[in-house]
Amino acid sequence: MKKKGLKEPLIEPVGLKSHMLIRVSLDVEEEDWFGISFRMAEPGYQSRSASEAAEMQKQEKQDNRSSMWHPLKALRQMYRVKKEAGQEKRRRRAEALEQEKLLAEREERIGRTEEAIGRLLRDIKALAEEERDCCCVYENKVRKALLAAEKCVLSFLWQKYFDFPEFTDYAGSFWVKLLMPQAVWPHFVILGTAPCLYAVLEEAAHRMKSLRWIVPEEDCTDELLEFVEDFYTEYGLAIALQPLTGKAAWKRFRLSAPLPVNILDFTGEMQGTMSEIAETSVWLDMLSSEEKRRRIAGRNSGIVYVSLKEKWKYAQRRCNRPVLP
């Protein structure tokens, strides 16, 4: 995650009993690693611009015409042109030397950064003990700096060493169940669907007083409809199923909840409104969208936002020997 003011990566191993989290704070920008920039500096020496050169040639022609019948003036003009040519040659040579110096300094910065990234990887491997199940999770700003186009030096160096896959299993059963204890209210609303939902809902059925399920019409499969029917038979709770139609269904959707609810959001959608949701409601963003987190926080709506990224961001040390799921 991004953290300004650091001099080097801050590594925090956090044992969460069920899995190992190694949290790394970085002060990085595009082409900038802890204040070390890879952008090429402009040389202090500058050769004449095209406009300056053209103006000089124009002046020379005028001088030549005016001195055509004055041999002494012509001689002085010749010496002046020769002197300026020597100055331009020295200027170009100085510029070339400075350019060479700047390139050497840049290569030295790149070498120091590569060494630091390699050292960071070794430290992480020593904590993880095995790489088999390692994945990377990035904040958006960090991802932009480290996973940019290949032509970026910092991105190239990072991906050279950190070739771990990026974590994508936010809606997996194990990770969704980690967030469910945050659902403190007896009223539930589900947005979208996921393969793990049937098992998750059955585990939480004993504490539900109501359950609304909003889902695109194309996801209202026979399997889902059969589950809704069986859920009522097994647990005595009728699921209020609300299919949405059309490509812009989520954009038009308005969620209303006069009582505090737990919202299980599997959509990743940024459309719709949340202005009619009761304060202290809990929004479980199962896909950990940073844009959605900022949107909910910016509305000052009193909604409690929960996601796996947020859980990892503020997790505290729990044990010394955690295991992977």
Side-chain angles (χ1 to χ4, degrees), residues 124-131 321:
I124 289 175
K125 283 183 175 180
L127 291 170
E129 295 184 353
E130 56 179 304
E131 303 175 35
R321 288 287 178 181

Side-chain angles (χ1 to χ4, degrees), residues 171 176 192-198 213 266:
V176 169
T193 186
C196 69
L197 254 179
Y198 299 156
W213 197 340
F266 292 89

Side-chain angles (χ1 to χ4, degrees), residues 185 187 189 212 255-263 273-283 296 300-304:
W185 301 108
H187 304 288
V189 176
R212 293 171 58 196
L255 178 59
S256 176
L259 296 176
V261 296
N262 308 307
I263 302 166
T273 184
M274 56 192 72
S275 59
E276 300 175 13
I277 301 174
E279 291 187 4
T280 70
S281 291
V282 177
W283 194 297
I296 291 174
N300 195 27
S301 57
I303 298 173
V304 178

Side-chain angles (χ1 to χ4, degrees), residues 132-200:
R132 176 175 53 87
D133 296 312
C134 289
C135 292
C136 289
V137 178
Y138 300 95
E139 287 185 353
N140 286 352
K141 290 183 178 179
V142 175
R143 180 190 290 106
K144 186 177 180 181
L146 300 181
L147 301 181
E150 292 183 1
K151 64 181 181 179
C152 295
V153 174
L154 180 56
S155 177
F156 172 80
L157 292 178
W158 181 264
Q159 294 179 65
K160 176 181 177 181
Y161 290 90
F162 284 84
D163 58 350
F164 301 121
E166 190 168 357
F167 181 78
T168 57
D169 193 29
Y170 291 102
S173 177
F174 177 85
W175 306 105
V176 169
K177 289 179 180 179
L178 283 181
L179 297 183
M180 286 303 291
Q182 306 297 320
V184 296
W185 301 108
H187 304 288
F188 285 73
V189 176
I190 303 172
L191 305 178
T193 186
C196 69
L197 254 179
Y198 299 156
V200 169

